[in-house]
Amino acid sequence: MPAESIFPRLEPLLPKVQKPIQYVGGELNSTVKEWDSADVRWALMYPDAYEVGLPNQGVAILYEILNELPATLAERTYAVWPDLEALMRAEGVPQFTVDAHRPVRAFDVFGVSFSTELGYTNMLTALDLAGIPLVAAERGDDDPIVLAGGHAAFNPEPIADFLDAAVLGDGEQIAIAITEVVREWKAEGRPGGRDELLMRLAESGGVYVPKFYDVDYHPDGRIKRVAPNRPDVPWRVHKHTVMDLDEWPYPKKPLVPLAETVHERFSVEIFRGCTRGCRFCQAGMITRPVRERSITTIGAMVEHGVKESGFNEVGLLSLSSADHSEIGDLAKGLADRYEGTNTSLSLPSTRVDAFNIDLANEFSRNGRRSGLTFAPEGGSERMRKVINKMVTEEDLIRTVTAAYSQGWRQVKLYFMCGLPTETDEDVLGIADLAKKVIKAGREATGSRDIRCTVSIGGFVPKPHTPFQWAGQADHETVDRRLKALRDALRGDREYARAVGFRYHDGKPSIVEGLLSRGDRRVGAVIRAVWEDGGRFDGWSEHFSYERWMSAAERAGVDVDWYTTREREENEVLPWDHLDAGLDREWLWQDWQEAVSGGEVEDCRWTPCYDCGVCPTMGTEIQIGPTGRKLLPLTVV
């Protein structure tokens, strides 16, 4: 039976809510297929508001790939704001897709992409509105498979009770494989019901099904072991790695939003993975190895994407875009192509030691010179050695001096507070660094019209990083240090007006820490918070620390035990059965190196230092140079 559109029931509610345009669909390059043309149907969710979710690359890529498959359709859904949620509950309107406004429960797979753990409560709202039981064990054969992916799915244990399955790593190939498993199972008449489908997904070792694993605990609360409870289920589940990005030039037809979104540009991922070895950075660790797109593929993706979307800004994305082996030629080739048009190029946050003025000039050739963003992360030389961010103060001053002298007037610097071994002096060093940046800019330009913005967030130790064993700084310590830093910046009349200061207090970081390193017992806290009205926890105006602490207390969960406690080397961590390719002994050794201030080189340019990813995953680093050039699009 076709799943009918619920739009006739939704439309009367839209005049009563804020930003109704975000719920109507019909964006340029969106896809609506006939329901009966497909035998496998996906509802893809980014668990945040439309304005945050629509630009998400992961969902956009899977949306295109799945819709290109024969007899397969994919539609998108996003978290609805509390005003619409209340009306939907009152009128009995279910969670819907924005493409054809079909009820999410009618689909075969409900795939949720988590960039951050603070989206967990929004998933529960969507499940409840859809009429899908919150707890996986209570779902029947007519309910979709609830599948998690994204960076925050590398430890899905806190939401294990709510998930049927989770996927680690790159989604392009495994989404197709899951589709074929579902198609085959349905064609055979759904033998064995839901359990049989989940077994088929789990047997490959490429999909994690939490119900097929039992967790045993020591009397003191530590995990004793995580073991399969069925004979054909593997002991470890491995991440997926796409090795030839040129074969996957997505998105080809970028979605053009109807409502204002956080990023309004066409984004091209120029390479995936990072081997810089920053010890705090989960994204860099779990996406190894580095795999570059070729300069010609990038050029073709930009040309096609701009033509299909009409966007006038192109963002070249990766974890450290200036590290692409041909970034100079790429920047010049694209700048030459689009000079004199309304298409401008942008590069996200850039490493100080990868930045050069020639590169910046190419990217600003067709656009305005706004600000430059750098991320030293630590306020002192010692701190930067601990986190393996090998950037010296001299590097930073030299770079910003060159930028100011070439016409830039604003620099943004990102830092973290609460890093392992951090002292008050390390944080106050951020103020000294900001003042030196302003001083250098004034001297280079002879002008006092120089700005520097310091943006600082609380550090959260993440799974699959060398800091996964570290104790997290409590929020009182973080807040005290941030107050001292603010006072140091504002108290200097010479620099106070020139330095902007943006920061997040320590409380959201504690909740994120609970969720990122939690185990299955934390699921009771998430549910209690949601039942108490927790929604959009990544938004400061909706976040309530007190609600989380109250829920933890009622659930008998000791928040400090999960956050500020340092782990021992041999403690079984909740995610040890989920394989990101990184050798556990190497991670521990790097944690010890961090404490002693030892540094690790980037293995792109140096011999392998045995992190374990390439031999474990059967992968290898793929970088240029290719020697190819971008040709002009028209004859000059």
Short mmCIF file of all heavy atoms in Angstrom, two decimals, residues 262-295:
data_model
loop_
_atom_site.label_atom_id
_atom_site.label_comp_id
_atom_site.label_asym_id
_atom_site.label_seq_id
_atom_site.Cartn_x
_atom_site.Cartn_y
_atom_site.Cartn_z
N VAL A 262 22.62 27.25 8.22
CA VAL A 262 23.88 27.70 8.84
C VAL A 262 25.00 27.85 7.81
O VAL A 262 25.91 28.65 8.00
CB VAL A 262 24.31 26.74 9.97
CG1 VAL A 262 23.37 26.84 11.15
CG2 VAL A 262 24.41 25.29 9.49
N HIS A 263 24.95 27.05 6.74
CA HIS A 263 25.94 27.18 5.66
C HIS A 263 25.19 27.25 4.34
O HIS A 263 24.47 26.30 3.99
CB HIS A 263 26.90 26.00 5.63
CG HIS A 263 27.72 25.84 6.87
ND1 HIS A 263 28.56 26.81 7.35
CD2 HIS A 263 27.80 24.81 7.75
CE1 HIS A 263 29.14 26.39 8.46
NE2 HIS A 263 28.68 25.19 8.74
N GLU A 264 25.37 28.33 3.61
CA GLU A 264 24.71 28.45 2.31
C GLU A 264 25.79 28.53 1.24
O GLU A 264 26.16 29.61 0.78
CB GLU A 264 23.76 29.64 2.29
CG GLU A 264 22.66 29.47 3.33
CD GLU A 264 21.45 30.35 3.09
OE1 GLU A 264 21.53 31.23 2.23
OE2 GLU A 264 20.45 30.14 3.78
N ARG A 265 26.29 27.36 0.92
CA ARG A 265 27.37 27.25 -0.06
C ARG A 265 27.36 25.83 -0.59
O ARG A 265 26.74 24.94 -0.02
CB ARG A 265 28.71 27.55 0.61
CG ARG A 265 29.09 26.54 1.69
CD ARG A 265 30.32 26.96 2.48
NE ARG A 265 30.60 25.99 3.53
CZ ARG A 265 31.29 26.25 4.62
NH1 ARG A 265 31.79 27.47 4.82
NH2 ARG A 265 31.53 25.32 5.53
N PHE A 266 28.07 25.63 -1.70
CA PHE A 266 28.28 24.28 -2.21
C PHE A 266 29.59 23.78 -1.63
O PHE A 266 30.64 24.38 -1.85
CB PHE A 266 28.31 24.28 -3.74
CG PHE A 266 28.69 22.95 -4.31
CD1 PHE A 266 28.08 21.79 -3.86
CD2 PHE A 266 29.67 22.86 -5.30
CE1 PHE A 266 28.44 20.55 -4.39
CE2 PHE A 266 30.02 21.63 -5.83
CZ PHE A 266 29.41 20.48 -5.38
N SER A 267 29.52 22.68 -0.89
CA SER A 267 30.71 22.16 -0.22
C SER A 267 31.23 20.93 -0.95
O SER A 267 30.47 20.02 -1.28
CB SER A 267 30.38 21.79 1.23
OG SER A 267 30.00 22.95 1.96
N VAL A 268 32.54 20.94 -1.19
CA VAL A 268 33.22 19.80 -1.82
C VAL A 268 34.27 19.28 -0.84
O VAL A 268 35.13 20.03 -0.39
CB VAL A 268 33.89 20.20 -3.14
CG1 VAL A 268 34.67 19.02 -3.73
CG2 VAL A 268 32.86 20.70 -4.13
N GLU A 269 34.17 18.01 -0.51
CA GLU A 269 35.17 17.38 0.36
C GLU A 269 36.40 17.04 -0.48
O GLU A 269 36.34 16.17 -1.34
CB GLU A 269 34.58 16.12 0.99
CG GLU A 269 35.46 15.48 2.03
CD GLU A 269 34.85 14.19 2.57
OE1 GLU A 269 34.04 13.57 1.85
OE2 GLU A 269 35.19 13.82 3.71
N ILE A 270 37.51 17.74 -0.25
CA ILE A 270 38.67 17.56 -1.12
C ILE A 270 39.55 16.40 -0.68
O ILE A 270 40.30 15.84 -1.47
CB ILE A 270 39.49 18.86 -1.26
CG1 ILE A 270 40.06 19.33 0.08
CG2 ILE A 270 38.63 19.94 -1.89
CD1 ILE A 270 41.00 20.53 -0.06
N PHE A 271 39.51 16.05 0.59
CA PHE A 271 40.07 14.78 1.01
C PHE A 271 39.44 14.36 2.32
O PHE A 271 38.80 15.14 3.00
CB PHE A 271 41.61 14.79 1.09
CG PHE A 271 42.23 15.61 2.19
CD1 PHE A 271 42.46 15.07 3.46
CD2 PHE A 271 42.66 16.91 1.96
CE1 PHE A 271 43.07 15.80 4.46
CE2 PHE A 271 43.28 17.65 2.95
CZ PHE A 271 43.48 17.10 4.22
N ARG A 272 39.59 13.07 2.65
CA ARG A 272 38.98 12.52 3.85
C ARG A 272 40.10 11.93 4.71
O ARG A 272 41.02 11.31 4.22
CB ARG A 272 37.97 11.43 3.46
CG ARG A 272 37.01 11.00 4.57
CD ARG A 272 35.92 10.10 4.02
NE ARG A 272 34.98 10.80 3.14
CZ ARG A 272 33.96 10.24 2.52
NH1 ARG A 272 33.74 8.94 2.67
NH2 ARG A 272 33.16 10.95 1.73
N GLY A 273 39.96 12.12 6.03
CA GLY A 273 40.96 11.58 6.95
C GLY A 273 42.00 12.62 7.31
O GLY A 273 42.16 13.64 6.62
N CYS A 274 42.71 12.38 8.40
CA CYS A 274 43.78 13.28 8.84
C CYS A 274 44.77 12.48 9.66
O CYS A 274 44.37 11.66 10.50
CB CYS A 274 43.21 14.43 9.67
SG CYS A 274 44.47 15.63 10.19
N THR A 275 46.06 12.70 9.41
CA THR A 275 47.10 11.99 10.16
C THR A 275 48.01 12.95 10.91
O THR A 275 49.14 12.62 11.26
CB THR A 275 47.94 11.12 9.19
OG1 THR A 275 48.28 11.90 8.03
CG2 THR A 275 47.17 9.90 8.75
N ARG A 276 47.51 14.15 11.15
CA ARG A 276 48.29 15.11 11.95
C ARG A 276 48.53 14.61 13.36
O ARG A 276 49.49 15.00 14.02
CB ARG A 276 47.57 16.46 11.99
CG ARG A 276 47.64 17.24 10.70
CD ARG A 276 48.99 17.93 10.55
NE ARG A 276 48.98 18.93 9.48
CZ ARG A 276 49.93 19.84 9.33
NH1 ARG A 276 50.94 19.89 10.17
NH2 ARG A 276 49.88 20.71 8.33
N GLY A 277 47.60 13.80 13.85
CA GLY A 277 47.81 13.18 15.16
C GLY A 277 47.45 14.04 16.35
O GLY A 277 47.99 13.84 17.44
N CYS A 278 46.56 15.03 16.17
CA CYS A 278 46.11 15.82 17.33
C CYS A 278 45.37 14.88 18.28
O CYS A 278 44.39 14.25 17.90
CB CYS A 278 45.20 16.96 16.87
SG CYS A 278 46.00 18.13 15.75
N ARG A 279 45.84 14.82 19.51
CA ARG A 279 45.38 13.76 20.42
C ARG A 279 43.96 13.97 20.91
O ARG A 279 43.33 13.03 21.39
CB ARG A 279 46.34 13.67 21.60
CG ARG A 279 47.73 13.20 21.19
CD ARG A 279 48.73 13.24 22.32
NE ARG A 279 49.98 12.62 21.90
CZ ARG A 279 51.17 13.21 21.97
NH1 ARG A 279 51.28 14.44 22.44
NH2 ARG A 279 52.26 12.57 21.57
N PHE A 280 43.45 15.19 20.82
CA PHE A 280 42.09 15.47 21.26
C PHE A 280 41.06 15.18 20.18
O PHE A 280 39.86 15.12 20.45
CB PHE A 280 41.96 16.95 21.66
CG PHE A 280 42.25 17.89 20.52
CD1 PHE A 280 41.26 18.23 19.61
CD2 PHE A 280 43.53 18.39 20.33
CE1 PHE A 280 41.55 19.07 18.54
CE2 PHE A 280 43.82 19.23 19.27
CZ PHE A 280 42.82 19.58 18.37
N CYS A 281 41.50 15.00 18.94
CA CYS A 281 40.61 15.07 17.78
C CYS A 281 40.09 13.69 17.39
O CYS A 281 40.79 12.91 16.73
CB CYS A 281 41.34 15.72 16.61
SG CYS A 281 40.28 15.92 15.15
N GLN A 282 38.85 13.40 17.76
CA GLN A 282 38.26 12.13 17.39
C GLN A 282 38.10 12.01 15.87
O GLN A 282 38.38 10.96 15.29
CB GLN A 282 36.89 11.96 18.06
CG GLN A 282 36.27 10.60 17.79
CD GLN A 282 34.83 10.52 18.24
OE1 GLN A 282 34.03 11.42 17.97
NE2 GLN A 282 34.48 9.45 18.93
N ALA A 283 37.67 13.09 15.23
CA ALA A 283 37.46 13.05 13.78
C ALA A 283 38.73 12.64 13.05
O ALA A 283 38.69 11.84 12.10
CB ALA A 283 36.97 14.40 13.27
N GLY A 284 39.88 13.18 13.46
CA GLY A 284 41.14 12.83 12.81
C GLY A 284 41.52 11.38 13.02
O GLY A 284 42.08 10.73 12.13
N MET A 285 41.23 10.84 14.20
CA MET A 285 41.61 9.47 14.51
C MET A 285 40.72 8.46 13.78
O MET A 285 41.21 7.48 13.22
CB MET A 285 41.54 9.23 16.02
CG MET A 285 42.57 10.01 16.83
SD MET A 285 44.25 9.35 16.57
CE MET A 285 45.23 10.63 17.40
N ILE A 286 39.41 8.69 13.79
CA ILE A 286 38.49 7.67 13.27
C ILE A 286 38.34 7.69 11.76
O ILE A 286 37.78 6.75 11.19
CB ILE A 286 37.10 7.77 13.93
CG1 ILE A 286 36.43 9.11 13.60
CG2 ILE A 286 37.19 7.54 15.44
CD1 ILE A 286 35.02 9.26 14.16
N THR A 287 38.84 8.75 11.10
CA THR A 287 38.69 8.81 9.63
C THR A 287 39.96 8.43 8.89
O THR A 287 40.00 8.53 7.66
CB THR A 287 38.26 10.23 9.19
OG1 THR A 287 39.25 11.18 9.62
CG2 THR A 287 36.90 10.60 9.76
N ARG A 288 41.00 7.99 9.59
CA ARG A 288 42.22 7.59 8.91
C ARG A 288 41.95 6.41 7.99
O ARG A 288 41.05 5.62 8.25
CB ARG A 288 43.29 7.18 9.94
CG ARG A 288 43.73 8.31 10.83
CD ARG A 288 44.73 7.85 11.86
NE ARG A 288 45.18 9.01 12.64
CZ ARG A 288 46.34 9.07 13.29
NH1 ARG A 288 47.16 8.04 13.26
NH2 ARG A 288 46.68 10.14 13.96
N PRO A 289 42.75 6.24 6.91
CA PRO A 289 43.89 7.05 6.49
C PRO A 289 43.45 8.23 5.63
O PRO A 289 42.26 8.37 5.32
CB PRO A 289 44.70 6.07 5.64
CG PRO A 289 43.66 5.19 5.02
CD PRO A 289 42.58 5.04 6.07
N VAL A 290 44.42 9.08 5.26
CA VAL A 290 44.15 10.20 4.36
C VAL A 290 43.91 9.68 2.95
O VAL A 290 44.69 8.88 2.43
CB VAL A 290 45.32 11.20 4.36
CG1 VAL A 290 45.14 12.24 3.26
CG2 VAL A 290 45.44 11.87 5.71
N ARG A 291 42.81 10.15 2.34
CA ARG A 291 42.51 9.79 0.95
C ARG A 291 42.13 11.08 0.23
O ARG A 291 41.12 11.69 0.55
CB ARG A 291 41.35 8.80 0.91
CG ARG A 291 41.69 7.42 1.47
CD ARG A 291 40.52 6.82 2.21
NE ARG A 291 40.29 7.46 3.49
CZ ARG A 291 39.09 7.57 4.07
NH1 ARG A 291 38.01 7.13 3.46
NH2 ARG A 291 38.97 8.14 5.26
N GLU A 292 42.96 11.47 -0.72
CA GLU A 292 42.71 12.71 -1.46
C GLU A 292 41.86 12.48 -2.70
O GLU A 292 41.98 11.44 -3.36
CB GLU A 292 44.04 13.34 -1.91
CG GLU A 292 44.85 13.94 -0.79
CD GLU A 292 46.08 14.69 -1.31
OE1 GLU A 292 46.35 14.64 -2.53
OE2 GLU A 292 46.75 15.32 -0.49
N ARG A 293 41.01 13.47 -2.98
CA ARG A 293 40.40 13.52 -4.30
C ARG A 293 41.39 14.17 -5.25
O ARG A 293 42.12 15.09 -4.87
CB ARG A 293 39.11 14.34 -4.28
CG ARG A 293 37.90 13.55 -3.83
CD ARG A 293 36.59 14.20 -4.26
NE ARG A 293 35.49 13.27 -4.06
CZ ARG A 293 34.64 13.31 -3.04
NH1 ARG A 293 34.76 14.25 -2.12
NH2 ARG A 293 33.69 12.41 -2.92
N SER A 294 41.39 13.74 -6.50
CA SER A 294 42.31 14.33 -7.46
C SER A 294 41.85 15.74 -7.82
O SER A 294 40.67 16.09 -7.71
CB SER A 294 42.37 13.47 -8.73
OG SER A 294 41.14 13.53 -9.42
N ILE A 295 42.79 16.55 -8.24
CA ILE A 295 42.51 17.94 -8.58
C ILE A 295 41.47 18.04 -9.70
O ILE A 295 40.62 18.93 -9.69
CB ILE A 295 43.83 18.66 -8.95
CG1 ILE A 295 43.60 20.16 -9.11
CG2 ILE A 295 44.47 18.07 -10.18
CD1 ILE A 295 44.90 20.94 -9.25
#
